[in-house]
Amino acid sequence: MHGIADKAIFAILMVMCAGFPALIVVSPVSGQNRATQDLIDRPISEIRIEGLRRVSRQMVLNNLRTAIGDPLDPETISNDVKRLARLGEFKNIDAEVELLEDGSVAVIYQIIEQAIIADVQVVGNSLISDEELRGSISVLPGGPRDDSHINNGKRAIENLYRQRGHYLTTVSIDQVELEQRDVVRYVIREGPRVRVKAVEFRGENAFDPRLLMAEIKTKPQMFLLRKGELNEKVILEDVIALDRFYKSRGFLDVRIDRQIELSPNNREAKVVFLIDEGRQYRLGRLRARRQEDGGPLRVFAPEQLAALLEINSGDVFRADLLIKSVKTVREAYGNMGYLDVDVRSRELHSSSEPVVDLLLEISEGRSYKVGLVQVNGNFLTRDKVIRRQIRLEPGRPYNANEVEKSRRKLQRTRLFNDVRFTVLEPDEVDPEYRDLLVEIKERNTGSLNFGFAVGSDSGLFGEFSYAQNNFDVSDTPESLEELIRGRAFRGGGQRFSMTLRPGSEFFQYVISLTEPNLFDSDYTFNISGAFRSRIFEDYDEDRLNSQVRLGRQFGDVWSGALRMRAGTVELTNIDADAPTEVFLDAGPDTLTSIGFDILRTTIETLNRPGRGSRLELGFDWYGAMGGDIDFQRVTAEYTLLLTMTEDFLGRKSILRLTSKAGYLFGDRAPTYERFYLGGRTFRGFDFRSVSPKGIRADTLTLGTDPVGGTWQFFLGAQYEIPIFQEAMTGVVFVDSGTVTEDPGFDEYRISVGLGLRLYIPALGQLPLAFDFAIPLQKEDGDETQVFSFTAELPF
């Protein structure tokens, strides 16, 4: 480098970062010639920041890793420039290095700040307001200009229009306004609203198009029910859903694309999904080995694992069944105390044949026993209330599946906001044992509820209720303050409720107390009292009732209960033309009964269950403890739920089969304890109208007013299918049955109908139900009811 001037400027590093031109120039200035390499590792004695006007110097320094006293490192300077560029405050950043007289260097950052956005404007919009459009973007007046944010705002506006069905809307940015006045102006060219008029599948051979349609969200427009908006994002999600659908059914080579065909006026579109199905694969051989060394498994033999799988050799290869199979294998290990088991599946494809061999690689670990069970977080709830839901006992072998079951049981008590189970590391002294940590967060279990409901059977009524699901009758308050603050009568896991229901057709008051574990046993104890006044067509019924119930759970699906009842019933305001049977039963009568019921259920949730069954058998002996009435009642009811189809979004089509029968025998049962069907219990017929008719008291001739029967039989089927997302479903149903004086199937009625179910989470788990039914077979004197409904609306 001889012959070069004393003051030489040369570049040692140039960096482009984050879309900003950021040139770092190192300029050694000295009286001597120096090579570039000579500057590296020289001490930094000065840092200069030039060009700042709006941004504070401290803000820049906070983002620099280059510091006075450090050796010069071009990579650190480069990273500093990148870090500053990411702030979005600067248009250009240069870094230079100057060699000083004492041999140290000065690092100089020359900065050009970003312009400040003076205003944000939208023009050309008439369908969406300025306020809503501005709310969809993150660009704000007074902030630094960031071209990436400005372009993101453009896309956000276009997406907002497309969500409203204006698929062809385009948005541009006025570059003249941006460069000359720092004004971000979005120029909108609104396109027509595009509706999906048809959805077509091309290339599908293995599946019915209707089955594929159930997997996608893009649907044709349907008047009043579906808007049919064209949304590219949703269409891409549909492509993924169809790809997942095919691959879960063995079509591992499937390829899916989409095509949008617009009408000449650009207002209607046909969405076409292009499908190349490829070959359908089947399961070949199953192999299993240890992950660690590839050796044979120690716990299960390959034949045992094959028996656990949901899919067998030769079956169509289904990804969903493979996932279930891996879960089943993991649970089998967990049942034996292998808490750390890891099961991985590998699919081995054949190049010539559509066959997939399955290789399970398993890290078995070792089995453990339960150590201490620690419960944390319960400040009000008694320890025993929590522990009785945990099926793991210290010293016994671990069951990993019972850990999850116990967690779900505690969650279902609805006493806690959060329940966490953590299996701790093995004990250092005895590594065979592992403690279990149960962490809970208590919730406010008391609630005061207001609401109203309306139904075709019950009319309009309001509901005012107080419930405490963590009640403790023995926790009496020590002071008025403790009672007011809710620190009394809490923590025992008991359930206490009071409900008042005033209505247009009935009035009801109910008070109830339930102890789920009487004396820390498996028995459930309930005591309740109720008063109800109901207005019927020919008379009013006043009923005062009390009940004591002792129940017990037998395993996971069976339960039973003994009950005792006592009360009074009186019929008042009887019309002159009411049946003579009503006058005979006017009372007031004293009723007592002893009975039992047996329940078997595999339905685990009340929130839209999709599978399971429920069988309930009951017997009551009225008059067993005295009173004015003496007869016996036998009842049976069975419900079966079957999920017929389920898509990847979890939407189910459910078949519900219901049957029930009942028989009264012994002395004559009064009209108010007999069987009736109709209304919501037998759609297509008026409330309680499916029944034998009574003799009019004024003419002593057969009338049309029901008096109830001693035998009832009902058989119904209902098929529920999703219509709109999770919010709306449709039902098709058949109801049939009879109510007579003698067992048999005389006077049998049949009705068919359609209905809607609206699921609104804010209104609770039960849907709003609206049904239309037409009787196909009825008897003389039956009163029909085409429309029936029920709706509960909490405040």
Side-chain angles (χ1 to χ4, degrees), residues 47 67 127 218 243 311 351 366 400 608 732:
I47 295 176
L127 300 173
T218 302
D243 181 81
I311 183 172
S351 59
R366 61 160 297 173
R608 306 178 73 170
V732 181

Side-chain angles (χ1 to χ4, degrees), residues 143-159:
R145 172 179 167 177
D146 187 327
D147 290 346
S148 63
H149 284 178
I150 294 173
N151 288 323
N152 287 339
K154 169 182 174 296
R155 288 190 290 268
I157 294 175
E158 288 177 341
N159 288 335

Side-chain angles (χ1 to χ4, degrees), residues 541-710:
E541 177 187 299
D542 295 331
R543 184 186 291 259
L544 181 64
N545 184 60
S546 62
Q547 175 180 269
V548 175
R549 188 175 185 275
L550 182 67
R552 191 179 191 276
Q553 187 79 25
F554 301 96
D556 293 330
V557 298
W558 288 94
S559 63
L562 298 173
R563 56 176 177 266
M564 294 185 295
R565 296 173 180 165
T568 61
V569 179
E570 182 177 9
L571 308 183
T572 60
N573 299 325
I574 303 175
D575 294 345
D577 60 350
T580 57
E581 292 87 346
V582 174
F583 286 94
L584 291 175
D585 299 330
D589 294 328
T590 300
L591 277 73
T592 66
S593 70
I594 295 178
F596 68 87
D597 59 59
I598 299 173
L599 175 65
R600 181 191 185 279
T601 180
T602 58
I603 301 175
E604 296 185 354
T605 176
L606 296 177
N607 184 21
R608 306 178 73 170
R611 53 177 52 89
S613 63
R614 187 180 191 275
L615 172 65
E616 184 172 12
L617 306 175
F619 173 78
D620 290 282
W621 183 359
Y622 286 82
M625 299 182 296
D628 300 320
I629 306 298
D630 188 2
F631 69 95
Q632 292 80 46
R633 171 171 28 206
V634 179
T635 57
E637 184 171 354
Y638 181 72
T639 300
L640 176 64
L641 296 172
L642 299 171
T643 296
M644 308 306 293
T645 62
E646 181 176 358
D647 61 24
F648 282 97
L649 298 177
R651 298 173 298 188
K652 302 174 182 178
S653 296
I654 301 169
L655 176 63
R656 177 190 293 264
L657 303 175
T658 304
S659 63
K660 58 183 176 181
Y663 183 54
L664 307 178
F665 57 95
D667 292 345
R668 175 185 175 274
T671 54
Y672 50 78
E673 290 295 335
R674 291 181 166 230
F675 296 121
Y676 300 84
L677 288 174
R680 296 298 300 167
T681 60
F682 196 142
R683 290 161 289 190
F685 295 88
D686 199 13
F687 177 57
R688 303 210 329 167
S689 67
V690 178
S691 158
K693 307 305 187 286
I695 303 297
R696 291 172 56 115
D698 55 347
T699 63
L700 298 181
T701 60
L702 183 64
T704 59
D705 294 324
V707 293
T710 59

Side-chain angles (χ1 to χ4, degrees), residues 743-762:
F745 301 98
D746 297 333
E747 302 178 7
Y748 204 78
R749 284 91 161 171
I750 301 175
S751 67
V752 298
L754 304 170
L756 286 176
R757 301 291 182 268
L758 300 180
Y759 292 88
I760 304 175

Side-chain angles (χ1 to χ4, degrees), residues 70-104:
D70 290 348
L72 178 67
D73 182 3
E75 184 177 355
T76 301
I77 297 175
S78 172
N79 291 333
D80 285 343
V81 172
K82 294 178 181 178
R83 200 174 297 108
L84 291 172
R86 283 196 291 268
L87 295 177
E89 297 281 352
F90 310 116
K91 183 177 182 180
N92 192 74
I93 307 168
D94 292 342
E96 296 181 355
V97 177
E98 178 181 340
L99 182 62
L100 304 179
E101 294 293 339
D102 59 0
S104 64

Side-chain angles (χ1 to χ4, degrees), residues 53 100 155 201 230 323 341 404 497 557 636 641 648-649 761:
R53 291 177 176 79
L100 304 179
R155 288 190 290 268
F201 303 94
L230 187 64
I323 293 173
V341 64
E404 178 59 21
S497 65
V557 298
L641 296 172
F648 282 97
L649 298 177

